[in-house]
């Protein structure tokens, strides 16, 4: 007889809440899904790619950046200025001037007086001109040239022509036709200045370069008076400004023992004409003034 097989014991299902049950290991449980891998790649790939690309770009453009930097540095350097400008002195006939070395040293000191004068963008050419003219009143024109590409500026100085030689209490000075003192005679050299009017100041005025010793109208009067007297063959030896007589000019004629009193501001031509007429009258009368002829009053003449 056949043996009746035992019935399989039915497996009881354990409740999920049953403790101490070890989870069964499964290969598929531990393996990451393709979607997870793609997520990781998306997180890491772009950053690494950007870093690599940026590095390659930097290496590729490095020479260009260096070139641009060099150009900027060169431009900034070309905008700087040397503080020792090149000096050119224009001394035409009839003018007075100092030695180029004197101008060079003092102009360089004036240029270096401000740090702003070290750049083409900030240089104060107006202040430099003012400083030069204050230091050297005999300079009448100053041309400052800033180089386009170079760094050394150039300055051209034009000197003045004197009209008078002034004898003052503190020395002899050259004076221009505007009545301004140019310089001490001993400090400058003359360039074919010719015969200048000798002006004697007895008013005790302290003459200094740059200061006006006579007004411009007075200077114009004296220059024109000298020209008219020369045309009348009366050479002027000197013109004196007396201390206690306003607007008086005492003119000493070469070869005469007396001087002639003129009124500054009067008509020069009438004054010279009156002098010629008085001299003719005195010569006809065989009279020679011992001290002066006074022509300060119109249509009248006095002598002593």
């Amino acid at each position: 007889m056949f043996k009746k097989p035992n019935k399989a014991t039915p497996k009881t299902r354990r409740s999920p809440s049953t403790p101490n049950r070890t989870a069964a290991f499964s290969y598929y449980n531990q393996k990451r899904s393709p979607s997870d891998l793609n997520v990781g790649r998306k997180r890491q790939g772009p950053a690494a790619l950007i870093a690599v690309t940026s590095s390659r770009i930097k290496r590729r453009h490095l020479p260009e950046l260096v070139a641009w930097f060099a150009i900027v540095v060169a431009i900034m350097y070309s905008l700087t200025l040397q503080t020792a400008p090149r000096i050119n002195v224009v001394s035409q006939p009839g003018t007075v001037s100092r030695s180029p070395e004197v101008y060079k040293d003092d102009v360089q000191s004036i240029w270096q007086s401000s740090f702003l004068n070290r750049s083409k963008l900030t240089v104060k050419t107006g202040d430099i001109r003012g400083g030069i003219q204050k230091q050297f009143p005999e300079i009448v024109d100053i041309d400052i040239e800033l180089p386009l590409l170079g760094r050394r500026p150039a300055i051209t100085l034009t000197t003045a022509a004197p009209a008078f030689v002034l004898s003052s209490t503190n020395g002899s000075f050259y004076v221009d036709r505007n009545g301004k003192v140019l310089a001490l005679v001993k400090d400058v050299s003359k360039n074919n200045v010719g015969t200048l009017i000798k002006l004697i100041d007895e008013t005790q005025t302290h003459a200094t370069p740059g200061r006006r010793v006579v007004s411009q109208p007075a200077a114009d009067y004296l220059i024109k008076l000298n020209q008219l007297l020369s045309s009348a063959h009366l050479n002027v030896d000197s013109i004196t400004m007396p201390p206690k007589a306003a607007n008086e000019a005492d003119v000493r004629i070469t070869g005469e023992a007396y001087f002639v009193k003129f009124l500054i501001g009067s008509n020069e031509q009438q004054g010279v004409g009156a002098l010629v007429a008085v001299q003719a009258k005195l010569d006809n009368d065989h009279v020679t003034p011992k001290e002066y002829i006074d022509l300060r009053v119109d249509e009248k003449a006095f002598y002593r």
Side-chain angles (χ1 to χ4, degrees):
M1 296 190 61
F2 293 97
K3 190 175 181 180
K4 185 178 181 180
N6 296 329
K7 293 183 178 181
T9 305
K11 294 182 181 180
T12 59
R13 179 177 296 177
R14 185 172 293 184
S15 173
S17 62
T18 304
N20 299 326
R21 184 182 179 183
T22 303
F25 173 80
S26 173
Y27 171 79
Y28 296 101
N29 290 337
Q30 299 299 323
K31 188 177 181 180
R32 298 178 65 183
S33 65
S35 61
D36 293 335
L37 293 176
N38 290 336
V39 171
R41 289 174 184 171
K42 290 181 180 178
R43 291 177 180 175
Q44 298 179 3
L49 181 61
I50 291 174
V52 172
T53 305
S54 177
S55 178
R56 290 178 180 176
I57 292 176
K58 288 181 179 179
R59 287 197 300 268
R60 185 175 63 185
H61 291 285
L62 182 60
E64 184 178 351
L65 293 174
V66 172
W68 276 108
F69 179 76
I71 292 174
V72 171
V73 172
I75 293 175
M76 296 300 295
Y77 181 76
S78 67
L79 291 176
T80 61
L81 289 171
Q82 294 182 4
T83 57
R86 185 183 298 106
I87 303 298
N88 180 34
V89 181
V90 179
S91 180
Q92 298 176 348
T95 63
V96 294
S97 62
R98 304 172 195 261
S99 65
E101 289 75 17
V102 173
Y103 291 129
K104 178 181 177 181
D105 294 341
D106 287 13
V107 169
Q108 182 173 336
S109 298
I110 294 171
W111 196 286
Q112 294 175 348
S113 63
S114 175
F115 185 80
L116 297 176
N117 296 333
R118 297 176 182 269
S119 171
K120 298 176 185 178
L121 300 178
T122 59
V123 61
K124 296 184 176 181
T125 56
D127 292 348
I128 294 173
R129 288 190 181 91
I132 294 174
Q133 288 183 331
K134 183 178 180 180
Q135 182 72 17
F136 304 110
E138 73 274 10
I139 302 297
V140 294
D141 186 64
I142 302 170
D143 181 51
I144 300 177
E145 181 180 355
L146 301 179
L148 181 61
L149 298 178
R151 297 180 57 245
R152 189 179 185 186
I155 299 179
T156 301
L157 306 176
T158 303
T159 57
F164 307 91
V165 176
L166 174 69
S167 295
S168 185
T169 56
N170 58 321
S172 296
F173 299 83
Y174 287 116
V175 178
D176 68 6
R177 62 182 305 109
N178 297 317
K180 185 182 72 174
V181 178
L182 298 177
L184 274 165
V185 171
K186 65 179 182 179
D187 289 343
V188 294
S189 58
K190 56 185 180 179
N191 184 6
N192 297 326
V193 296
T195 302
L196 301 177
I197 302 173
K198 185 178 180 181
L199 191 61
I200 302 173
D201 185 10
E202 295 182 348
T203 62
Q204 304 300 314
T205 300
H206 189 80
T208 56
R211 182 177 180 180
R212 196 180 299 274
V213 290
V214 294
S215 65
Q216 183 172 355
D220 290 340
Y221 175 86
L222 295 177
I223 292 172
K224 189 172 183 180
L225 179 65
N226 178 71
Q227 294 172 345
L228 291 172
L229 289 171
S230 298
S231 299
H233 305 290
L234 299 172
N235 296 325
V236 176
D237 181 72
S238 64
I239 300 177
T240 301
M241 295 183 294
K244 297 180 180 181
N247 298 325
E248 179 180 330
D250 296 342
V251 179
R252 189 167 291 277
I253 305 299
T254 301
E256 301 292 350
Y258 56 87
F259 62 89
V260 184
K261 296 182 179 183
F262 288 94
L263 180 65
I264 296 176
S266 61
N267 187 289
E268 305 91 341
Q269 192 168 4
Q270 289 183 1
V272 173
L275 175 60
V276 172
V278 169
Q279 284 183 328
K281 178 69 169 59
L282 294 176
D283 288 343
N284 187 54
D285 295 342
H286 303 287
V287 176
T288 302
K290 296 182 179 180
E291 188 174 352
Y292 62 81
I293 297 176
D294 190 348
L295 300 175
R296 290 178 295 171
V297 180
D298 290 343
E299 298 181 357
K300 291 184 178 181
F302 306 92
Y303 67 88
R304 176 186 292 181

